[in-house]
């Protein structure tokens, strides 16, 4: 959103969706709850982001897949997604120590809508994804509650904020302020348009490795150094005033950003209305790593790269073979739902275009998370600088990506 540069024409020449967000996939919505301010345990910069597919995910499940490139993470619900190839709840993103609260939120969300869960049928498989925002947020406060997860779902809409919003409030990307980013691509097959959307939560990377549109932006920023913190001059949510700030080659805060190993994570969700099955979705999910690498990520030892992908096409009926889900006013009420599905499926001959779309949208979503983030003063009083503030201090023009 509002990132109008073509970062990678050679990778994917597809048009972007009208919003250039994951919500360009029809029916998909995203919502945030952002927690900022003081708590008894310390400053808070955290939250929840909800990715809500259209319709009833439990009654009519979505084809889905999960891919783990490096498994340094605590996501929940992936085992069943892998086994059954389906998604039956919205997806919540949050900080590492709040996975349990978001799990509870998704259970409550499902129980409120389905009295049969745990009685006439099985339980439910909540999907929660996380990154560690502890360097900025007082993560030990465990401030996120199940109510916040429910509120994020209720807030879901077609338009949503990127950058330091929701689960992205306390995230760091390439030593700069990261968070939520999104992008979309439109594909055409057999005269029909389809959309592939990507949403990322970025909390990975080392500053000298950052590349934007092929430019070694991170190396240039590391060479100059990040701005020094000056107590009282920077507040959360405000862009710092760079006027009169002294030049330097390396500040104390710079050392932390430039020399730190890649110990963060990036989690991503792919949504599409393409008629693809769970096997094809997993193949698409693997291509998020192309976008990560093009931005300078190398999937470090302490980093978790985890992707969930789902399709809104070819829904999977929960009550197949049973009469439970048939409408009471239907003449077919005594006939069980069929056990054999009839579905469309995209040919594997078309997958290259899908791979290109995922790689391209993933790269742009990562850059968008940086572009839209603002500088934040963390729990220890240090500033995590936004890309734009750091570039302004270094005298590096970003017009080519704005």
């Amino acid at each position: 959103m509002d990132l109008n540069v073509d970062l990678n024409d050679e990778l994917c020449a597809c048009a972007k969706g009208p919003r250039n967000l994951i919500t360009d996939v029809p029916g998909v919505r995203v919502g945030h709850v952002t927690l900022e301010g003081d708590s008894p345990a310390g400053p808070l910069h955290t939250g929840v982001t909800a990715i809500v597919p259209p319709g009833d995910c439990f009654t009519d499940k979505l084809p889905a897949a999960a891919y783990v490139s490096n498994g340094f993470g605590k996501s929940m619900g992936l085992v069943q997604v892998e086994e059954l190839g389906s998604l039956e709840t919205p997806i919540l993103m949050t900080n590492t120590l709040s996975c349990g609260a978001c799990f509870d939120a998704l259970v409550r969300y499902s129980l409120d809508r389905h009295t049969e869960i745990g009685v006439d049928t099985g339980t439910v498989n909540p999907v929660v994804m996380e990154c560690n925002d502890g360097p900025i947020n007082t993560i030990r406060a465990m401030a996120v509650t199940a109510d916040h997860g429910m509120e994020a779902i209720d807030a879901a809409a077609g338009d949503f904020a990127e950058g330091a919003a929701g689960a992205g409030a306390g995230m760091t990307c390439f030593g700069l302020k990261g968070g939520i980013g999104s992008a979309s691509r439109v594909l055409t097959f057999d005269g029909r348009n389809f959309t592939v959307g990507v949403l990322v939560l970025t909390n990975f990377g080392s500053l000298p490795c950052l590349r934007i549109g092929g430019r070694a932006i991170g190396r240039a920023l590391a060479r100059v150094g990040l701005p020094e913190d000056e107590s009282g001059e920077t507040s959360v949510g405000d862009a710092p005033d760079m006027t009169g700030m002294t030049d330097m080659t390396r500040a104390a805060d710079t050392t932390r950003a430039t020399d730190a190993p890649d110990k963060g994570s990036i989690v991503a969700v792919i949504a599409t209305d393409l008629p693809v099955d769970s096997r094809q979705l997993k193949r698409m999910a693997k291509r998020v790593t192309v976008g990560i690498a093009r931005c300078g990520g190398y999937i470090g030892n302490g980093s978790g790269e985890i992707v969930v992908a789902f399709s809104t096409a070819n829904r999977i009926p929960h009550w197949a073979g049973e009469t439970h889900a048939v409408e009471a006013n239907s003449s077919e009420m005594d006939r069980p739902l069929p056990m054999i599905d009839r579905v469309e499926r995209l040919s594997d001959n078309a997958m290259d275009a899908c791979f290109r779309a995922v790689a391209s949208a993933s790269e742009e979503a990562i850059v968008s998370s940086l572009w839209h983030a603002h500088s934040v003063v963390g729990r220890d009083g240090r500033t995590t600088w936004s890309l734009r503030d750091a570039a302004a201090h270094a005298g590096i023009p970003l017009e080519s990506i704005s």
Side-chain angles (χ1 to χ4, degrees):
M1 185 172 65
D2 299 326
L3 191 67
N4 300 318
V5 66
D6 293 320
L7 293 175
N8 41 37
D9 275 346
E10 82 287 355
L11 182 61
C12 178
C14 297
K16 301 174 183 180
R19 296 186 181 96
N20 199 18
L21 297 170
I22 193 173
T23 49
D24 289 326
V25 178
V28 174
R29 296 172 294 125
V30 171
H32 297 305
V33 167
T34 304
L35 304 180
E36 298 274 12
D38 293 328
S39 77
L44 298 179
H45 307 285
T46 193
V48 183
T49 295
I51 300 94
V52 183
D56 186 334
C57 299
F58 186 79
T59 298
D60 295 300
K61 306 181 196 307
L62 300 101
Y67 174 63
V68 179
S69 178
N70 196 61
F72 204 113
K74 289 81 178 171
S75 293
M76 306 175 80
L78 303 189
V79 172
Q80 184 169 310
V81 171
E82 275 287 85
E83 181 68 22
L84 301 185
S86 62
L87 176 71
E88 60 186 25
T89 71
I91 299 168
L92 294 183
M93 293 179 171
T94 190
N95 73 68
T96 306
L97 297 189
S98 296
C99 286
C102 286
F103 183 97
D104 289 347
L106 290 170
V107 170
R108 281 174 45 189
Y109 172 88
S110 301
L111 295 182
D112 287 350
R113 287 158 177 77
H114 296 280
T115 58
E116 68 275 15
I117 291 177
V119 179
D120 299 320
T121 190
T123 57
V124 66
N125 183 52
V127 174
V128 182
M129 307 180 78
E130 56 76 34
C131 290
N132 178 9
D133 61 11
I136 293 177
N137 172 52
T138 307
I139 194 170
R140 290 174 61 91
M142 297 181 69
V144 172
T145 66
D147 286 342
H148 294 134
M150 298 281 280
E151 290 169 15
I153 296 172
D154 290 342
D159 292 318
F160 60 92
E162 296 177 82
M171 301 300 168
T172 305
C173 185
F174 291 101
L176 304 169
K177 188 65 192 73
I180 297 292
S182 190
S184 67
R185 298 292 183 267
V186 179
L187 301 171
T188 303
F189 298 111
D190 297 341
R192 297 161 58 187
N193 289 335
F194 300 92
T195 302
V196 174
V198 175
L199 183 145
V200 296
L201 177 61
T202 61
N203 194 50
F204 74 106
S206 178
L207 179 60
C209 296
L210 173 62
R211 302 185 71 86
I212 299 178
R215 297 170 58 198
I217 297 292
R219 188 186 307 163
L221 291 175
R223 185 180 302 119
V224 174
L226 300 181
E228 290 181 347
D229 289 324
E230 297 187 13
S231 179
E233 290 194 1
T234 306
S235 60
V236 176
D238 295 331
D241 182 3
M242 298 296 177
T243 305
M245 194 170 281
T246 58
D247 292 333
M248 79 210 82
T249 57
R250 174 86 62 172
D253 212 33
T254 304
T255 303
R256 181 177 60 159
T258 59
D259 294 344
D262 185 359
K263 294 172 62 177
S265 298
I266 173 173
V267 294
V269 172
I270 301 170
T272 185
D273 56 351
L274 283 163
V276 285
D277 58 27
S278 60
R279 175 187 62 85
Q280 293 170 314
L281 285 165
K282 184 163 188 173
R283 298 185 71 200
M284 292 170 66
K286 293 178 179 180
R287 272 59 188 189
V288 172
T289 57
V290 178
I292 294 171
R294 287 173 65 91
C295 290
Y298 58 87
I299 307 178
N301 173 65
S303 185
E305 282 73 24
I306 300 172
V307 185
V308 172
F310 67 84
S311 171
T312 60
N314 296 330
R315 304 292 284 254
I316 304 165
H318 177 80
W319 299 104
E322 303 183 38
T323 59
H324 186 284
V326 177
E327 295 291 340
N329 61 357
S330 170
S331 61
E332 303 293 322
M333 63 180 298
D334 294 326
R335 182 180 299 175
L337 293 176
M339 294 290 280
I340 299 175
D341 293 333
R342 290 175 172 83
V343 301
E344 289 185 307
R345 188 181 68 82
L346 186 70
S347 169
D348 281 348
N349 292 343
M351 292 307 292
D352 273 355
C354 300
F355 297 160
R356 285 172 174 256
V358 170
S360 173
S362 298
E363 179 184 6
E364 184 172 1
I366 293 167
V367 174
S368 193
S369 76
L370 290 162
W371 179 257
H372 287 97
H374 56 259
S375 297
V376 169
V377 179
R379 59 174 176 79
D380 59 0
R382 297 185 185 183
T383 302
T384 299
W385 299 96
S386 71
L387 170 65
R388 286 188 282 182
D389 290 342
H393 167 72
I396 297 173
L398 296 177
E399 288 82 1
S400 60
I401 68 164
S402 63

